[in-house]
Amino acid sequence: SGIHTYTHTRSQGLYTINNHTQRLQKPNINSVTWSPSHTDSNYLHHPNFPFLPFIMKITALCLTALVSASHAFAPSTPSSASSSARALSTESTSDVPLLQIKEKVPCFGAAPFIGDNDVFFGENYWDKLTMEYGSAETGQYLRAAELKHGRAAMLAVVGFALQKLGVTFDKISPHEYLSVTQNVKFADLAAMGPLQAVQAVPLEGYAQVFAAIAAVEIYELTHRDGEIKRDESVAPGLQPGGLTGDLGWNPLDIKITEDRRLKEIQNGRAAMFAICAWVAAEAVPGSVPLPLPW
């Protein structure tokens, strides 16, 4: 009938197959009789075969993967092959360069060392900013920023030195008060140190300083070659290379040479170091172990 009787004792019990019995060391304990047939599917859940459903699922997944892999290695159709060839030809004939090498941007203002040998401190950073992160216009903007900071530092050095040497407005100005409404006299500021005098300036005085600086900046943003540009959609100073530090203001008609431009940059660098050292020495006595002229 296609039915076989199988009796299994789990722990050294009794095996009976088709009425042939083999006895082990122990008697039947927890024996289970299993009688599968071709029409019964309960044997899949028999406790002696707990992994049978899992094995069947893994087998099905493996067969599915094999079928998918066979499609992956199948030869492509003529239409797909031709489209791939057209794509490759289009990419090969594109105008995009494979490797674009930027030229080194020269830096004006390298400090002369000995003879004709110039020393360029920070050349690696200059190359990175002008070649990797930016362009020649970036270097032009950085040079303009250095010029502005150098000019401001030179004015600060002159003002700081005059204050320390006693050349103050109470001796040269016809006015007695810096601010009448705030009752601030030039003589009061002359009796203070440079840092205290700066702190004693009223808020209205700083507003005037800010307005003067803003006027210079707006002039440079809106003018080129000494004239305002009204027909441009973008201000000249906001265009690449628009800020150069050259305001076109030369009332003494001084001849501009490369040597004078270099001296302006070098004097500005020296002034930036000087004003930082003087302010530090004034705020923290003994912080700069150098003799000062006062």
Side-chain angles (χ1 to χ4, degrees):
S1 62
I3 299 177
H4 304 280
T5 302
Y6 173 66
T7 305
H8 172 221
T9 302
R10 293 185 182 179
S11 177
Q12 295 180 353
L14 184 65
Y15 287 88
T16 302
I17 303 177
N18 291 339
N19 297 325
H20 295 281
T21 304
Q22 292 182 356
R23 184 176 299 278
L24 300 178
Q25 297 179 0
K26 289 186 180 181
N28 296 342
I29 301 175
N30 297 327
S31 61
V32 180
T33 301
W34 178 36
S35 300
S37 63
H38 295 288
T39 59
D40 190 4
S41 62
N42 293 328
Y43 66 91
L44 295 177
H45 304 284
H46 190 270
N48 293 321
F49 301 94
F51 299 104
L52 188 57
F54 177 76
I55 294 173
M56 294 183 67
K57 292 179 180 179
I58 293 298
T59 303
L61 290 176
C62 292
L63 291 175
T64 305
L66 288 174
V67 174
S68 302
S70 64
H71 285 289
F73 290 97
S76 59
T77 60
S79 60
S80 60
S82 60
S83 61
S84 301
R86 286 195 300 269
L88 290 175
S89 62
T90 302
E91 292 178 358
S92 62
T93 58
S94 61
D95 296 334
V96 179
L98 296 179
L99 181 61
Q100 183 179 4
I101 301 176
K102 293 185 178 180
E103 296 182 359
K104 182 178 178 63
V105 178
C107 177
F108 177 79
F113 185 60
I114 298 177
D116 296 334
N117 298 324
D118 296 336
V119 178
F120 184 7
F121 295 100
E123 185 174 2
N124 294 334
Y125 295 100
W126 172 265
D127 293 341
K128 186 177 289 293
L129 290 172
T130 56
M131 299 176 62
E132 183 177 349
Y133 299 148
S135 59
E137 287 76 12
T138 306
Q140 193 173 8
Y141 172 79
L142 294 175
R143 180 61 66 241
E146 184 183 25
L147 272 174
K148 289 184 179 181
H149 285 83
R151 291 166 181 170
M154 286 187 282
L155 290 175
V157 164
V158 173
F160 194 100
L162 292 178
Q163 175 76 11
K164 293 295 289 186
L165 296 175
V167 184
T168 53
F169 280 102
D170 62 319
K171 298 181 177 64
I172 60 177
S173 175
H175 303 285
E176 180 181 3
Y177 285 88
L178 171 67
S179 175
V180 178
T181 57
Q182 300 295 330
N183 195 23
V184 179
K185 297 181 179 181
F186 287 116
D188 298 334
L189 298 178
M192 304 177 185
L195 298 184
Q196 291 77 18
V198 169
Q199 296 174 358
V201 175
L203 183 61
E204 293 81 1
Y206 284 112
Q208 296 175 22
V209 173
F210 179 82
I213 296 174
V216 176
E217 294 293 331
I218 293 174
Y219 177 87
E220 186 178 9
L221 286 173
T222 57
H223 287 68
R224 180 188 295 160
D225 298 330
E227 59 181 8
I228 188 171
K229 302 297 181 180
R230 303 179 183 274
D231 299 333
E232 299 186 10
S233 58
V234 180
L238 299 179
Q239 298 176 7
L243 296 178
T244 61
D246 185 9
L247 301 177
W249 187 66
N250 189 7
L252 300 179
D253 196 17
I254 299 175
K255 184 179 180 180
I256 306 300
T257 61
E258 295 297 319
D259 182 65
R260 286 178 174 172
R261 290 181 58 215
L262 179 60
K263 289 180 179 179
E264 182 184 21
I265 292 177
Q266 292 177 345
N267 289 331
R269 292 168 180 170
M272 286 188 279
F273 278 104
I275 193 60
C276 289
W278 290 358
V279 170
E282 185 73 13
V284 183
S287 60
V288 180
L290 296 175
L292 299 177
W294 42 77

